[in-house]
Amino acid sequence: MKNENINPIISLDYPDPDVIRVGGTYYMVSTTMHFFPCCEILRSYDLLNWEHACFVCETLDNTPAQKLEGGNIYGMGMWAACLRHHTGKYYVCFSCNDTHKTYLYTSDDIYGKWEKSTIEGFYHDCSLLFDDDGRIYIVYGNKEIWLTELENDLSAPKKNGVHRRILFDKDNQVLGYEGSHIYKINGRYYVFFIHSRPDRWMRCEACFSSDSINGEFTGGDCLEDTMGYCGQGVAQGGIVDTPDGKWYAILFQDRGAVGRIPVLIPVSWENGRPVFGDKGRIPESFEISSTRTGYNYAPLTSSDNFKGDAIMPCWQFNHEPDDKLYFFDRQKGFYRIISGKVVSDLLQAKNTLTQRMTFPRCTATVTIDTKGLSDGDFAGICALQGCYAWIGAAVRDGNKYIEMNSMGKDGTVLKKSIPLNDRILTVGISADFENMKDEAVLFYIENGERKQLGEIHKLFFTTDHFTGCRVGLFMYSTESAGGYADFSDFRSFDK
């Protein structure tokens, strides 16, 4: 079938994708950073539509920072995972910038239990290759790209094995080669990278190849295209073949505060070299087929009445959650957050429950029961990022207020509040990301009417969090612990 205006294939923050096919099913893994459960894998039957398949791990190493205790891992956590399927087993490999470890998860069933181990060493943006002769390699690095042979159990570099630098992008002061993805195709070794043009910021995709693992890797750029969107290039990700022998790449494009969004590109081969799109340009439409025609995909974001049997997979906590300080009442339909300690602001609030925001526009609302709030307590809905914004309920000197807070890029916090006369409050956020407008409006609902509170807030994608902006439900205490807030009737609209 031919699809018009295919891209982006997912209008959500799913950066650093890697993709495989097992039979007629495609799986894609993406960076989840500081969010838990972490390392999400999606499933598709046509490479266009995707739904949640599993989370590889509920927690990592339970460090204080991962639990938002005495620190945080914003902008760290798991990065740029590699996903592989070899002789009936699934492998997920990624490094963490907070623990400086490289983790390996394996499973015989992608939906089953994953076994955790580590690979000795730290391998930035790593990619695994299971060679035909049984040897295993890992490719990794930034600017300096290394290829290292691993022991058969993937526990460490192989003693006296291959260990060599295959590329050195020493002159690029903007962004050197990284985001490695290695493959062996028709007897030849290919490694794909992201980097920037050396003269200005623009992401590009490059490919280098060799006829042997010890040979010289030669190549260059294979994609430099913005799709006409705000000068933002498309790069970093995996390639995959279809059952009928066609090839595609899934890379990402920066789209401002909403994050890095997946893009699908047809790949052809000329004299053993990959050609992305139409001679290095991404076509608006192209042929794609499905292995399961008519399949209905579950959405990746959703409204929630909190009456389901389990947490919906579209939700993730801002850090490893504390299960003593939250619960779901499935009969009455609410999510309760209880404060366990005194903190200073939103970014230290534990058990903030988040969903990705949607490009180009989205709105979310939630209803809050404020009966459990005490002096110095805050609860509401937020646009979660370093330059955050939130609206909700605040209690001071025994009085309740509808309040908004916003953090500017310069660190300035703006606040505005009005009296809250009822116990129940409905608040919301609308965000506009089109053409990198990146603005959020905070509002409350009174007598069925939407009323803005405070000024329009500017959102940013910055490396302090390194993720797209998310909507979050939060509660925290600044004077004494023990207060709580109940959230119900969360509604999400992609407009």
Side-chain angles (χ1 to χ4, degrees), residues 238-302:
I239 64 170
V240 66
D241 65 341
T242 65
D244 57 358
K246 294 180 180 179
W247 284 86
Y248 295 89
I250 297 183
L251 313 179
F252 74 76
Q253 183 176 48
D254 294 279
R255 296 239 166 166
V258 76
R260 295 169 287 174
I261 292 183
V263 170
L264 182 67
I265 307 158
V267 178
S268 57
W269 300 87
E270 293 183 3
N271 300 318
R273 296 288 185 181
V275 178
F276 279 56
D278 182 6
K279 297 180 180 179
R281 294 292 181 266
I282 302 169
E284 290 187 359
S285 64
F286 46 85
E287 298 288 337
I288 193 75
S289 60
S290 174
T291 62
R292 197 170 177 180
T293 305
Y295 181 79
N296 292 318
Y297 293 84
L300 293 170
T301 61
S302 179

Side-chain angles (χ1 to χ4, degrees), residues 13 17 24 120 126 141 159 181 194 216 240 257 283 287 303 307 319-321 336 380 402 423 433-434 474 480:
D13 182 44
E120 180 185 308
C126 55
K159 186 176 181 179
H181 288 73
I194 189 174
E216 180 185 4
V240 66
E287 298 288 337
S303 299
K307 290 184 177 181
H319 274 63
E320 182 183 328
R336 175 173 292 181
I402 306 173
R423 195 183 91 183
F433 301 106
E434 190 165 22
F474 73 91
S480 60

Side-chain angles (χ1 to χ4, degrees), residues 300-316:
L300 293 170
T301 61
S302 179
S303 299
D304 197 347
N305 62 11
F306 301 115
K307 290 184 177 181
D309 294 335
I311 301 177
M312 298 174 68
C314 53
W315 291 112
Q316 288 174 285

